[in-house]
Amino acid sequence: MTKEFEDEYQPLLIKDIRATERIKFPNRSLVLAVCAASIGGTFQYGYNISVINAPATHVQSFINQTWRERYLTDISADILTLLWSTIVSMFTLGGLIGVTIGGTLSVMLGRKGTLLANNIFALTAAAMMGLSYPTGIFELLIVGRFFTGINAGIGISVQPLYLGEIAPTSLRGTMGMGTSIFITGGILTGQVIGLKELLGKEEYWPILLSTTCIPAFLQLLILPWFPESPRYLLIDRGDDEGCKKALKQLHGAGCDREWDDIEKEKNNLVGFQAKKPWELFSDRSIRWQLLTIMLLNTAQQLNGINAIYFYTEYLFKQAGIPADKIPYVTIGTGACECITALTCGMLIDRLGRKVLISGGYTLMSICCILFTLTLTFQNASPVIPYLSLACVFAFILSFGLGPGGVTNILTAELFTQTTRPSAYIIAGSVNWLSFLFISLTFPFIVIGLQQYCFLVFLIICSLVATYIILVIPETKNKTFLEIQNEFNSPKNRQACSADGVGATLLSTSI
């Protein structure tokens, strides 16, 4: 009877134990390590995206004043526009360079070491932008924005790598959401700091742009107290004792399961070296993983979120909001993104990655239809502008709950230790190139299609949602090796190859 009892109830007991493990709270040291890595990582990315908007007119006045002092004539409108566009776009160029070197540095210096060294670019940028006004050299703004871009590019590629490797399997999604939470937190902070009541006044703009040094100093003070990635220590460096010490600090006493997972992955990768980005394209065993992250990172920039922000100020005016109050309402969009990132962080290890990202793209597709209708009939009723505003917030909520947060986590989860750094180089490069592409082409898309531009984004969002449902397996509570084996299973390969759906969706979306 005892033997029968054990045979019947032991599987249920094991299942209950695993469920308990899944809902346990993270160790305090792990949470603090996530914050320490993120404050000088993706927080800088979000902060430097938004902080440049508030002083735009003040910086242009400074350029005109400097030009007049140098050449005794006012600058032409075309040259002023060109210089301002250069200052803004240097961030994108720097970001592209940052992601291409971030993966290599993460192998050479380690994940933590790269994040610490990355602060050199932020401090240099802060010094240059802060000194531009007293020295009367506006070119320092161009160079400074370039260095902030490099800092952001390295941070957005290495920080998710670090977070994905220090988190236990059961909490990898929640910890990985630190990337998205701190991006949105950085955007919101930049919007608030740029208000005229704080540093948004004309005389404060050099101080405003140089505040990028504050997160850098905070990270340099806090992050050294936390360990290097345990996976990097054991698999890349062969440091058994260092790995055990890091696991104990990050996860507490009960870290045997994580040690077993890392050791199993190390044994599976014996004889393999870290791969270069171009080597991933010739590796047939990861072709669907590579295709997936390229598609998701392209779609993250081309899904219409940038168009929503483009239309935001116009919609606020249409709704009757005074021009001087619009910056305060815009903060609402930043707060909305931040709240959805936090919500996604709480849901991702319960609902799973696939549900959130496919659901997010599906809801964004619906919002594209509604937004097209409300913009088309904008003047039909006084109520329509408010419906458009509702669509704006619904679109941002849908983006934050799915694509905004889950994309970076999937990039970490779909690859093993030897391919993950190069995968981040490819994913980051695709993301920044798509960002550059949409920045250059979106004004022409709006001019050509006007409100119907959202039909383009409708096609992209719906195709990506279909691809996710058909191709991507759920990665929740699975080790990196289990995820790789599931992608390479005959059943999944057959699903991926059916009717060439993956290739068709990718070519159509891009």
Side-chain angles (χ1 to χ4, degrees):
M1 183 70 180
T2 306
K3 181 68 168 60
E4 292 176 358
F5 180 86
E6 289 180 354
D7 291 341
E8 183 176 356
Y9 291 101
Q10 189 173 13
L12 297 176
L13 181 61
I14 293 172
K15 185 177 180 182
D16 289 340
I17 292 172
R18 288 179 177 174
T20 303
E21 289 178 351
R22 284 198 295 271
I23 61 174
K24 69 177 182 180
F25 291 101
N27 190 39
R28 182 177 63 179
S29 181
L30 178 62
V31 175
L32 293 175
V34 170
C35 294
S38 302
I39 192 65
T42 52
F43 180 89
Q44 289 276 40
Y45 172 80
Y47 185 76
N48 284 296
I49 281 178
S50 65
V51 79
I52 195 67
N53 296 322
T57 56
H58 308 322
V59 172
Q60 291 177 43
S61 299
F62 163 66
I63 294 173
N64 188 33
Q65 175 188 341
T66 305
W67 191 278
R68 188 186 304 117
E69 292 173 356
R70 287 185 190 177
Y71 306 109
L72 303 178
T73 182
D74 287 334
I75 191 172
S76 68
D78 292 339
I79 296 178
L80 180 60
T81 302
L82 176 63
L83 288 172
W84 174 246
S85 300
T86 303
I87 291 171
V88 175
S89 61
M90 277 295 108
F91 181 77
T92 307
L93 179 60
L96 183 58
I97 293 174
V99 296
T100 58
I101 64 176
T104 304
L105 289 174
S106 70
V107 175
M108 295 171 55
L109 305 177
R111 290 30 166 168
K112 171 185 165 182
T114 301
L115 289 172
L116 290 172
N118 189 33
N119 290 296
I120 296 172
F121 296 108
L123 295 174
T124 303
M128 287 186 171
M129 291 189 291
L131 292 172
S132 60
Y133 181 77
T135 59
I137 305 174
F138 63 79
E139 290 85 355
L140 289 176
L141 292 171
I142 298 174
V143 181
R145 285 290 291 178
F146 177 72
F147 279 118
T148 59
I150 294 177
N151 172 266
I154 294 175
I156 205 170
S157 61
V158 179
Q159 181 200 309
L161 189 61
Y162 180 70
L163 300 190
E165 292 181 2
I166 67 173
T169 302
S170 59
L171 293 171
R172 198 168 57 225
T174 301
M175 296 295 99
M177 278 304 299
T179 297
S180 180
I181 291 169
F182 276 85
I183 287 177
T184 56
I187 292 172
L188 179 60
T189 303
Q191 291 172 339
V192 173
I193 295 294
L195 291 174
K196 60 185 179 181
E197 288 83 359
L198 297 174
L199 295 179
K201 293 182 179 179
E202 183 171 4
E203 61 268 28
Y204 294 149
W205 72 260
I207 301 174
L208 176 62
L209 294 182
S210 62
T211 51
T212 187
C213 69
I214 297 175
F217 280 127
L218 287 174
Q219 186 174 74
L220 288 171
L221 288 172
I222 302 171
L223 187 57
W225 295 95
F226 297 96
E228 179 57 86
S229 158
R231 289 181 181 274
Y232 175 81
L233 290 172
L234 183 61
I235 299 175
D236 291 73
R237 289 287 177 259
D239 185 357
D240 291 32
E241 290 303 316
C243 177
K244 289 178 180 178
K245 185 178 179 180
L247 283 173
K248 187 174 181 180
Q249 181 179 350
L250 293 169
H251 301 164
C255 56
D256 293 340
R257 182 180 175 186
E258 298 304 322
W259 166 262
D260 292 340
D261 287 342
I262 298 172
E263 194 171 35
K264 188 183 297 183
E265 185 175 346
K266 178 188 177 183
N267 295 333
N268 192 66
L269 298 173
V270 170
F272 289 91
Q273 298 293 325
K275 292 193 175 184
K276 304 294 188 293
W278 54 87
E279 293 176 336
L280 268 59
F281 290 99
S282 59
D283 189 345
R284 294 178 63 85
S285 66
I286 57 169
R287 60 177 179 171
W288 284 104
Q289 292 95 310
L290 192 60
L291 176 66
T292 297
I293 64 159
M294 290 176 66
L295 173 66
L296 293 182
N297 278 274
T298 301
Q300 194 174 31
Q301 295 296 341
L302 305 186
N303 57 26
I305 190 67
N306 297 295
I308 287 291
Y309 284 121
F310 179 87
Y311 271 99
T312 298
E313 186 171 345
Y314 164 75
L315 293 173
F316 289 158
K317 290 179 180 177
Q318 287 291 105
I321 298 171
D324 61 330
K325 302 297 182 184
I326 287 178
Y328 303 96
V329 183
T330 303
I331 289 175
T333 62
C336 182
E337 269 198 288
C338 202
I339 291 169
T340 52
L342 289 167
T343 304
C344 184
M346 292 185 287
L347 295 176
I348 192 167
D349 281 322
R350 294 179 179 273
L351 299 181
R353 288 65 156 151
K354 188 169 183 174
V355 170
L356 287 177
I357 193 168
S358 60
Y361 274 114
T362 302
L363 291 174
M364 289 165 71
S365 301
I366 296 171
C367 289
C368 284
I369 297 172
L370 297 176
F371 205 62
T372 301
L373 292 173
T374 57
L375 287 176
T376 302
F377 302 103
Q378 190 75 15
N379 299 319
S381 168
V383 180
I384 299 297
Y386 295 96
L387 294 178
S388 296
L389 284 180
C391 287
V392 167
F393 284 97
F395 195 96
I396 293 172
L397 284 167
S398 303
F399 176 79
L401 283 173
V406 181
T407 301
N408 277 322
I409 294 173
L410 285 176
T411 306
E413 292 183 330
L414 299 187
F415 296 88
T416 54
Q417 196 75 8
T418 57
T419 56
R420 195 176 295 118
S422 291
Y424 266 103
I425 292 176
I426 295 172
S429 299
V430 168
N431 197 299
W432 283 91
L433 285 171
S434 301
F435 185 17
L436 180 61
F437 172 79
I438 197 67
S439 300
L440 293 174
T441 60
F442 180 68
F444 300 101
I445 295 174
V446 173
I447 292 171
L449 298 177
Q450 297 182 4
Q451 72 270 21
Y452 299 108
C453 68
F454 285 93
L455 297 179
V456 176
F457 304 126
L458 167 64
I459 295 171
I460 293 173
C461 290
S462 57
L463 287 176
V464 173
T466 305
Y467 177 89
I468 293 166
I469 293 170
L470 294 178
V471 174
I472 301 179
E474 180 54 69
T475 61
K476 180 181 71 171
N477 292 326
K478 295 176 183 175
T479 66
F480 295 125
L481 285 178
E482 288 172 343
I483 295 167
Q484 185 184 48
N485 291 334
E486 186 162 351
F487 250 109
N488 293 330
S489 67
K491 180 180 178 181
N492 195 64
R493 286 202 305 269
Q494 184 178 1
C496 292
S497 301
D499 301 323
V501 66
T504 303
L505 286 170
L506 180 67
S507 60
T508 307
S509 297
I510 297 179

